[in-house]
């Protein structure tokens, strides 16, 4: 049996001891007051009768762990000065285990787990609740230091069953779909770019502490036509996440939930609320509400590190939005990949160059195809010349990935130029191509996309010229398409509006409208940052102008819905429209060139 709490969850000091511990005959146990902690706590605290504690150190026991089993037929009389003790706290555990003993105030403690770096023990019931007591570890005849610890009653206000009943009653009283009303304990929540929509998409959170419970309510924007903010998620957890109490509350809640809604199912890694591996817990469906119950040991927003039992109830609309967001992410990823394949296939067809569509080409083959196109780049019809420029750009980027050599030494990757790199670069320089070196993120040789810029600047009326323009917008943070620095969205808006005015019947109207919507949404959302948000660094936002950008974004998303209602772009717009109409930030940062 493994220990029910682990050293890695507790403290930095614990990690050091776990790594360095070496038990040997004759070695004295090493520990201190700072490494005697309540079970599953990161901070030291007073000892109470029956309380589970851990000691971290060196030479505390054998290298191979020993587990102490409770006596199935015996129970301790709980100390009357500490009420509402849990079952494990009144069980009887061995007082000596693998030649190890822990004494508290001279009384032998029950031992649950013993190992060289860690001991889990139970404070004797005979210990008082005032003053101090000295703790000492003995192993193989060697004694550790006498460490003085404070004593306290450590009373639980209510029993585990009563706490579970209070959570259960509170759950049944949640006023689902109630409109948000500002009040004590409520705060507006700014969306971080990485935490958008679904379970993270709430606009306001309200928390309250009462009788040992922390209850949080989360309000979400909804409604495209008549937007409002309503209650769609409720969280309940213990103010005191002490492991033994938390475990019993969880078991009691599981019984109630199973009786009411049948056997629970394992959720599919709902990481946003900590329902993730290795302990995702269980979930139940209760009409339009899904209830998650688990031991939240993860770093989860919005309350930071949460430990102990956590019950989260969520309306179906929130989970549906979460799934829609995941679908849209996949759709945009696949549509980008498809678009790239379509571009290459169309180029190969228009230019009669089948080599463009081959999946893998060597450096020599790629260079040969590129130079054959470059020799013809200024010949033929305007549409053909534009296509050759886009094809040259595609091949120059591909070649850049082949002109580097990656080597890994001691886990670190080094990127150097390929042996033939200098010769190829010199040949390309004659055509105005200059690689700037390996990119910070890509690791490939990168260039200034001169061929794309020529395709757009010289042949803007052609389909390939307009495709080049859209590609340049997408790359606006790799190199500015204007002079706005970090705030490339200004250039995207200005040039995008000019593009649609000059070419109102372009086949890429939907894509351009979406880019304009994103750029305006970014402009607005940068004016609504969370305090300390690093993703707004470098932004200089005029709030009045940002307000106009919000209205423009609304108009553009609504136009998308009219011209292409089933497109991913239009569906993405439906997610953000309630926030935009309610003047809430969306966390969008498209075309703003911050470094995350």
């Amino acid at each position: 049996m493994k220990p029910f709490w682990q050293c890695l969850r507790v403290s930095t000091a614990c990690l050091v001891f776990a790594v360095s511990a070496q038990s040997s005959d004759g070695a004295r146990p090493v520990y201190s007051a700072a490494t005697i902690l309540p079970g599953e706590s990161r901070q030291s605290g007073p000892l109470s009768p029956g309380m589970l504690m851990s000691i971290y150190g060196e030479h505390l026991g054998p290298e191979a762990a020993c587990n102490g089993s409770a006596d199935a037929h015996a129970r301790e009389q709980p100390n009357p000065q500490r009420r509402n003790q849990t079952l494990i706290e009144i069980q009887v555990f061995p007082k000596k285990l693998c030649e190890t003993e822990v004494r508290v105030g001279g009384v032998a403690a029950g031992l649950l787990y013993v190992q060289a770096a860690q001991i889990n023990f139970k404070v004797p019931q005979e210990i008082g609740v005032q003053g101090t007591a000295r703790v000492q570890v003995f192993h193989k005849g060697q004694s550790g230091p006498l460490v003085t610890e404070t004593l306290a009653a450590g009373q639980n206000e209510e029993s585990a069953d009563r706490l579970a009943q209070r959570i259960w009653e509170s759950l049944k009283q949640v006023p689902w779909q109630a409109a948000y009303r500002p009040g004590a304990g409520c705060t507006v929540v700014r969306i971080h770019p990485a935490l958008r929509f679904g379970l993270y998409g709430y606009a306001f959170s309200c928390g309250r502490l009462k009788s040992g419970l922390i209850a949080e309510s989360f309000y979400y924007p909804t409604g495209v036509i008549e937007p409002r903010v309503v209650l769609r998620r409720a969280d309940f957890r213990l103010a005191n996440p002490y492991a033994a109490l938390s475990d019993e509350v969880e078991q009691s809640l599981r019984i109630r939930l199973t009786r009411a809604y049948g056997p629970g199912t394992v959720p599919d890694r709902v990481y946003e609320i900590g329902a993730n591996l290795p302990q995702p817990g269980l979930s139940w469906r209760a009409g339009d509400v899904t209830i998650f119950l688990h031991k939240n040991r993860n770093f989860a927003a919005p309350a930071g590190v949460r430990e102990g039992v956590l019950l989260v109830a969520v309306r179906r609309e929130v989970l549906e939005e979460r799934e829609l967001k995941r679908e849209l992410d996949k759709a945009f990823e696949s549509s980008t990949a498809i678009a790239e394949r379509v571009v290459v296939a169309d180029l190969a067809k228009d230019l009669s160059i089948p080599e463009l569509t081959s999946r893998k080409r060597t450096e020599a083959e790629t260079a040969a195809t590129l130079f054959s196109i470059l020799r013809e780049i200024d010949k033929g019809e305007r549409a053909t010349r534009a296509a050759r420029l886009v094809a040259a750009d595609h091949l120059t980027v591909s070649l850049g990935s082949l002109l580097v050599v990656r080597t890994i030494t001691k886990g670190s990757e080094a990127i150097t130029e390929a042996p033939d790199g200098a010769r190829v670069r010199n040949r390309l320089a004659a055509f105005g191509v200059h690689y700037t070196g390996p990119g910070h993120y890509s690791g490939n040789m990168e260039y200034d996309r001169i061929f794309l810029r020529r395709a757009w600047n010289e042949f803007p009326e052609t389909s390939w010229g307009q495709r080049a323009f859209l590609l340049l917008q997408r790359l606006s943070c790799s190199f500015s398409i204007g002079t706005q620095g970090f705030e490339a969205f200004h250039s995207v808006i200005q040039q995008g509006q000019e593009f649609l005015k000059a070419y109102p019947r372009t086949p890429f109207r939907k894509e351009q409208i979406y880019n304009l919507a994103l750029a305006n949404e970014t402009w607005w959302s940068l004016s609504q940052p969370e305090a300390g948000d690093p993703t707004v660094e470098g932004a200089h936002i005029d709030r009045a102008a940002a307000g106009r950008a919000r209205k423009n974004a609304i108009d553009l998303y609504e136009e998308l819905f009219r011209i292409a209602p089933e497109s991913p772009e239009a569906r993405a717009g439906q997610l953000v429209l309630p926030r935009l109409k309610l003047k809430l930030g969306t966390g969008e940062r498209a075309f703003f060139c911050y470094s995350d």
Side-chain angles (χ1 to χ4, degrees), residues 66-279:
C66 296
N67 293 282
S69 299
D71 188 329
H73 305 290
R75 293 288 185 275
E76 291 181 332
Q77 181 65 36
N79 189 317
Q81 294 180 299
R82 180 167 180 259
R83 299 181 301 166
N84 297 319
Q85 292 191 34
T86 63
L87 174 60
I88 196 171
E89 292 174 321
I90 61 173
Q91 289 181 312
V92 178
F93 290 88
K95 302 297 191 290
K96 193 168 185 178
L97 185 62
C98 292
E99 300 184 76
T100 298
E101 186 177 1
V102 175
R103 294 176 190 169
V104 181
V107 180
L111 300 177
L112 290 75
Y113 176 85
V114 170
Q115 195 265 341
Q118 177 180 351
I119 295 174
N120 299 339
F121 71 96
K122 188 165 72 71
V123 177
Q125 296 288 351
E126 298 91 326
I127 297 302
V129 297
Q130 293 181 338
T132 61
R134 293 198 291 182
V135 178
Q136 190 171 29
V137 176
F138 299 85
H139 177 59
K140 286 191 174 183
Q142 295 294 325
S143 60
L146 280 164
V147 174
T148 300
E149 292 285 332
T150 302
L151 301 177
Q155 290 181 333
N156 298 323
E157 293 184 10
E158 298 184 79
S159 67
D161 189 65
R162 178 56 188 157
L163 286 169
Q165 181 62 26
R166 289 196 61 248
I167 292 176
W168 179 246
E169 291 171 353
S170 298
L171 173 64
K172 292 190 290 185
Q173 295 170 6
V174 173
W176 297 112
Q177 304 286 61
Y180 172 71
R181 298 181 186 280
C186 296
T187 58
V188 62
V189 179
R190 310 294 188 188
I191 289 187
H192 187 278
L195 310 175
R196 289 159 51 89
F197 310 114
L199 287 162
Y200 283 132
Y202 45 87
F204 300 93
S205 67
C206 305
R208 59 184 174 85
L209 170 62
K210 184 178 180 181
S211 301
L213 290 184
I214 296 175
E216 294 173 290
S217 302
F218 300 91
Y219 293 81
Y220 291 76
T222 183
V224 173
I225 306 301
E226 297 181 1
R228 55 199 183 104
V229 183
V230 299
L231 176 63
R232 285 186 169 173
R233 171 180 162 187
D235 291 14
F236 302 94
R237 55 194 173 94
L238 303 182
N240 173 18
Y242 174 56
L245 179 66
S246 181
D247 284 346
E248 286 204 4
V249 171
E250 182 183 7
Q251 293 171 22
S252 186
L253 282 170
R254 186 179 299 176
I255 291 172
R256 287 171 169 80
L257 288 162
T258 301
R259 285 174 179 169
Y261 308 116
T265 59
V266 177
D268 182 20
R269 302 192 183 190
V270 190
Y271 62 88
E272 299 97 325
I273 56 173
N276 204 356
L277 296 176
Q279 295 180 325

Side-chain angles (χ1 to χ4, degrees), residues 487-504:
E487 298 174 2
F489 57 86
H490 289 303
S491 295
V492 170
I493 292 171
Q494 176 189 346
Q495 297 180 15
Q497 289 174 339
E498 293 173 355
F499 174 85
L500 289 178
K501 184 177 180 180
Y503 307 103

Side-chain angles (χ1 to χ4, degrees), residues 14 103 122 316 459 463:
C14 157
R103 294 176 190 169
K122 188 165 72 71
R316 62 173 175 80
F459 310 104
S463 173

Side-chain angles (χ1 to χ4, degrees), residues 190 223-225 227 489-490 493 497 513 516-528 541-559 573 576-588:
R190 310 294 188 188
V224 173
I225 306 301
F489 57 86
H490 289 303
I493 292 171
Q497 289 174 339
I513 290 175
L516 283 172
L518 285 176
N520 278 280
E521 183 189 342
T522 293
W523 194 348
W524 158 253
S525 203
L526 285 169
S527 71
Q528 306 291 310
I541 305 299
D542 176 84
R543 287 186 172 270
R548 293 190 292 272
R550 179 186 69 87
K551 295 178 181 178
N552 291 336
I554 291 172
D555 292 341
L556 289 161
Y557 281 125
E558 289 182 336
E559 182 176 354
V576 300
L577 277 172
R579 281 188 168 272
L580 290 172
K581 291 185 176 182
L582 290 165
K583 299 184 179 181
L584 297 169
T586 68
E588 184 60 71

Side-chain angles (χ1 to χ4, degrees), residues 135-420:
V135 178
Q136 190 171 29
V137 176
F138 299 85
H139 177 59
K140 286 191 174 183
Q142 295 294 325
S143 60
L146 280 164
V147 174
T148 300
E149 292 285 332
T150 302
L151 301 177
Q155 290 181 333
N156 298 323
E157 293 184 10
E158 298 184 79
S159 67
D161 189 65
R162 178 56 188 157
L163 286 169
Q165 181 62 26
R166 289 196 61 248
I167 292 176
W168 179 246
E169 291 171 353
S170 298
L171 173 64
K172 292 190 290 185
Q173 295 170 6
V174 173
W176 297 112
Q177 304 286 61
Y180 172 71
R181 298 181 186 280
C186 296
T187 58
V188 62
V189 179
R190 310 294 188 188
I191 289 187
H192 187 278
L195 310 175
R196 289 159 51 89
F197 310 114
L199 287 162
Y200 283 132
Y202 45 87
F204 300 93
S205 67
C206 305
R208 59 184 174 85
L209 170 62
K210 184 178 180 181
S211 301
L213 290 184
I214 296 175
E216 294 173 290
S217 302
F218 300 91
Y219 293 81
Y220 291 76
T222 183
V224 173
I225 306 301
E226 297 181 1
R228 55 199 183 104
V229 183
V230 299
L231 176 63
R232 285 186 169 173
R233 171 180 162 187
D235 291 14
F236 302 94
R237 55 194 173 94
L238 303 182
N240 173 18
Y242 174 56
L245 179 66
S246 181
D247 284 346
E248 286 204 4
V249 171
E250 182 183 7
Q251 293 171 22
S252 186
L253 282 170
R254 186 179 299 176
I255 291 172
R256 287 171 169 80
L257 288 162
T258 301
R259 285 174 179 169
Y261 308 116
T265 59
V266 177
D268 182 20
R269 302 192 183 190
V270 190
Y271 62 88
E272 299 97 325
I273 56 173
N276 204 356
L277 296 176
Q279 295 180 325
L282 295 173
S283 63
W284 291 262
R285 285 289 302 275
D288 285 335
V289 175
T290 298
I291 303 167
F292 301 90
L293 178 69
H294 66 95
K295 296 180 178 70
N296 188 351
R297 308 199 189 285
N298 300 312
F299 291 78
V305 180
R306 288 173 163 178
E307 295 187 4
V309 62
L310 175 67
L311 185 147
V312 177
V314 186
R315 288 275 307 179
R316 62 173 175 80
E317 293 90 348
V318 175
L319 296 176
E320 288 172 354
E321 185 177 277
R322 179 180 187 262
E323 290 306 308
L324 175 57
K325 180 62 168 60
R326 293 171 70 178
E327 290 176 12
L328 290 175
D329 287 344
K330 291 179 181 178
F332 281 117
E333 288 174 5
S334 61
S335 64
T336 298
I338 291 170
E340 290 175 354
R341 290 197 296 270
V342 168
V343 166
V344 174
D346 287 352
L347 284 170
K349 179 181 178 182
D350 289 357
L351 299 173
S352 300
I353 305 176
E355 292 85 353
L356 283 173
T357 60
S358 60
R359 290 192 174 184
K360 292 184 179 180
R361 295 184 300 277
T362 66
E363 173 196 319
E365 292 170 332
T366 303
T369 305
L370 173 58
F371 286 117
S372 69
I373 290 174
L374 291 178
R375 286 191 289 269
E376 304 291 323
I377 206 160
D378 292 323
K379 299 178 181 178
E381 300 292 330
R382 291 178 61 80
T384 302
R385 291 163 67 185
R388 286 199 183 106
L389 286 165
V390 176
D393 174 79
H394 167 72
L395 289 168
T396 303
V397 171
S398 298
L399 187 58
S401 67
L402 301 172
L403 291 178
V404 295
V405 176
R406 291 176 169 82
T407 56
I408 298 178
T409 305
K410 295 182 180 181
S412 178
E413 184 181 57
I415 301 175
T416 57
E417 189 174 31
D420 201 33

Side-chain angles (χ1 to χ4, degrees), residues 479-491:
F479 59 93
S480 179
I481 62 171
T483 58
Q484 302 294 338
F486 287 151
E487 298 174 2
F489 57 86
H490 289 303
S491 295

